[in-house]
Amino acid sequence: MRILHVAKFYPPAFGGMETVVASMAEGAAALGHEVIVLVHADDGDTAPRTPVPGVTVLRAPYRFAVGTMALSRA
């Protein structure tokens, strides 16, 4: 199965939701699923990453933030 997670950020960004999304993605990949995680690029780096086999992290740039909510067109 192919699974898409959409989240605000992904580790190494620190936070509770980041940890939960990483745990879910890595757990599903360990069961043999193909997982893609779409997050904001907090440091401007948009290169795809594969932190563990079966998990691909795609980072989309964002234009601005309102409080702690980053907003992006992608």
Side-chain angles (χ1 to χ4, degrees):
M1 178 185 303
R2 296 178 72 193
I3 300 170
L4 171 66
H5 288 287
V6 180
K8 194 157 116 176
F9 298 110
Y10 190 87
F14 180 75
M17 285 305 299
E18 291 79 358
T19 302
V20 169
V21 170
S23 294
M24 289 191 309
E26 292 171 12
L31 294 173
H33 301 290
E34 178 186 346
V35 182
I36 297 173
V37 183
L38 177 62
V39 298
H40 290 289
D42 58 346
D43 59 1
D45 181 12
T46 59
R49 300 279 188 247
T50 305
V52 296
V55 177
T56 302
V57 179
L58 302 177
R59 298 178 190 270
Y62 63 92
R63 301 266 180 199
F64 60 94
V66 176
T68 61
M69 177 60 66
L71 301 172
S72 175
R73 291 180 17 176

